[in-house]
Amino acid sequence: SQTIHQWPATLVQPVGSPLSLECTVEGTSNPNLYWYRQAAGRGLQLLFYSVGIGQISSEVPQNLSASRPQDRQFILSSKKLLLSDSGFYLCAWSQGSSQPQHFGDGTRLSIL
Amino acid sequence: DQQVKQNSPSLSVQEGRISILNCDYTNSMFDYFLWYKKYPAEGPTFLISISSIKDKNEDGRFTVFLNKSAKHLSLHIVPSQPGDSAVYFCAALIVNNAGNMLTFGGGTRLMVKP
C-alpha cells in the first residue's frame, strides 16, 4: 500500500532563517506531488505541484520554493523565512489525473 | 475569487441524526468533486468523490449529492457519530495533463454531540 511521510511534524524557526521540509511517498511510482498551506482558520491553498522529477509548477508568488530531486521526494524550501510563512504545510500525492489526492500529516511551522 | 465555497463555518448535530454539509462552486468546468475530513494536527483524509456526470454517490454512511444546475453539492452523514466530529473540506478537480489540481473550500467544522 502507498504511504506518505512528512517531517518534521512541528518546527519553530526565527524570521530570516532558512527552511527545508521534506515529503516522501512509498509504494507507488511517478506520482503527482503537491504542497499546500493551511493558514489559521482558512482552507487549503495549493503552493506547488509536480508531475515528474525536476518539474515544478508554482500556483502563487511567494517566499517559498519547491524541488523534486527524486521520483518520490518533494521538498519545500525557503532561503529567508517571513512571519507570514507561519502555517500548517501539507504534502499530498495522487496517481493519475482523476484520482483523489492523499495527504501527509502535515508540518506545523511557527515563525518567531 | 473563491471558486469553491463552504458558507457554514460550523455545524452541530445530535448523535444518530443526519449531518448535511453544503458546498457551492462557480466553475462549471470542474470534473470531480471530493470531500475530505480533517482532524486537528493531521492531514485531510479522503472520504468520497463524485463525477460531474453523476448526481449521487453513496459509500456506507456517506452520500454525496450533486446539483449541477445549482452548482451545489452536499455531503450527508447518516447516522452521525461522535467520531465524525472534524473539519470537512469540499474540493473540486479539473482533470488535465498538468496534474489534477484541487481547489478547496474553507471547511466546515462538524460537531456531533453524544
Side-chain angles (χ1 to χ4, degrees):
Chain A
S1 65
Q2 301 88 359
T3 56
I4 180 168
H5 303 280
Q6 259 189 267
W7 65 93
T10 59
L11 188 60
V12 180
Q13 293 281 98
V15 169
S17 64
L19 173 73
S20 180
L21 301 181
E22 191 160 342
C23 171
T24 59
V25 180
E26 296 176 359
T28 186
S29 60
N30 197 31
N32 294 337
L33 296 172
Y34 309 85
W35 278 111
Y36 288 87
R37 174 169 58 202
Q38 182 184 18
R42 300 179 67 180
L44 295 166
Q45 180 187 36
L46 179 65
L47 301 176
F48 301 95
Y49 70 94
S50 171
V51 299
I53 295 175
Q55 301 178 59
I56 309 294
S57 296
S58 174
E59 285 298 293
V60 293
Q62 57 201 305
N63 183 41
L64 303 167
S65 62
S67 61
R68 186 171 177 173
Q70 300 180 41
D71 181 45
R72 290 168 291 171
Q73 184 185 30
F74 206 22
I75 298 172
L76 183 69
S77 304
S78 173
K79 292 182 179 177
K80 281 187 178 182
L81 285 167
L82 306 172
L83 280 173
S84 57
D85 291 324
S86 293
F88 190 53
Y89 289 83
L90 289 153
C91 181
W93 73 275
S94 69
Q95 195 73 60
S97 296
S98 62
Q99 298 302 309
Q101 293 177 19
H102 301 279
F103 288 81
D105 284 336
T107 296
R108 172 75 58 193
L109 175 64
S110 300
I111 310 300
L112 303 179
Chain B
D1 176 34
Q2 253 187 309
Q3 296 189 64
V4 178
K5 288 184 182 178
Q6 292 175 256
N7 291 316
S8 299
S10 65
L11 174 67
S12 183
V13 171
Q14 203 67 35
E15 180 179 7
R17 307 295 287 269
I18 183 171
S19 295
I20 300 177
L21 299 148
N22 293 304
C23 179
D24 297 295
Y25 62 96
T26 58
N27 189 343
S28 59
M29 300 299 291
F30 287 129
D31 296 302
Y32 289 88
F33 300 91
L34 303 89
W35 284 94
Y36 284 82
K37 173 181 178 181
K38 184 180 182 300
Y39 293 116
E42 292 184 10
T45 303
F46 169 70
L47 275 177
I48 191 169
S49 65
I50 187 168
S51 165
S52 62
I53 63 173
K54 301 276 180 78
D55 55 19
K56 179 183 176 182
N57 187 27
E58 189 173 352
D59 183 3
R61 296 186 298 117
F62 302 93
T63 304
V64 57
F65 295 93
L66 176 62
N67 182 336
K68 284 195 75 174
S69 60
K71 293 191 174 68
H72 177 84
L73 67 152
S74 59
L75 174 68
H76 292 213
I77 306 174
V78 183
S80 302
Q81 300 172 355
D84 296 328
S85 297
V87 177
Y88 289 78
F89 289 99
C90 167
L93 165 66
I94 296 177
V95 177
N96 59 51
N97 292 330
N100 59 341
M101 289 170 285
L102 286 175
T103 302
F104 281 87
T108 297
R109 181 176 301 280
L110 174 65
M111 293 162 284
V112 180
K113 299 178 180 177

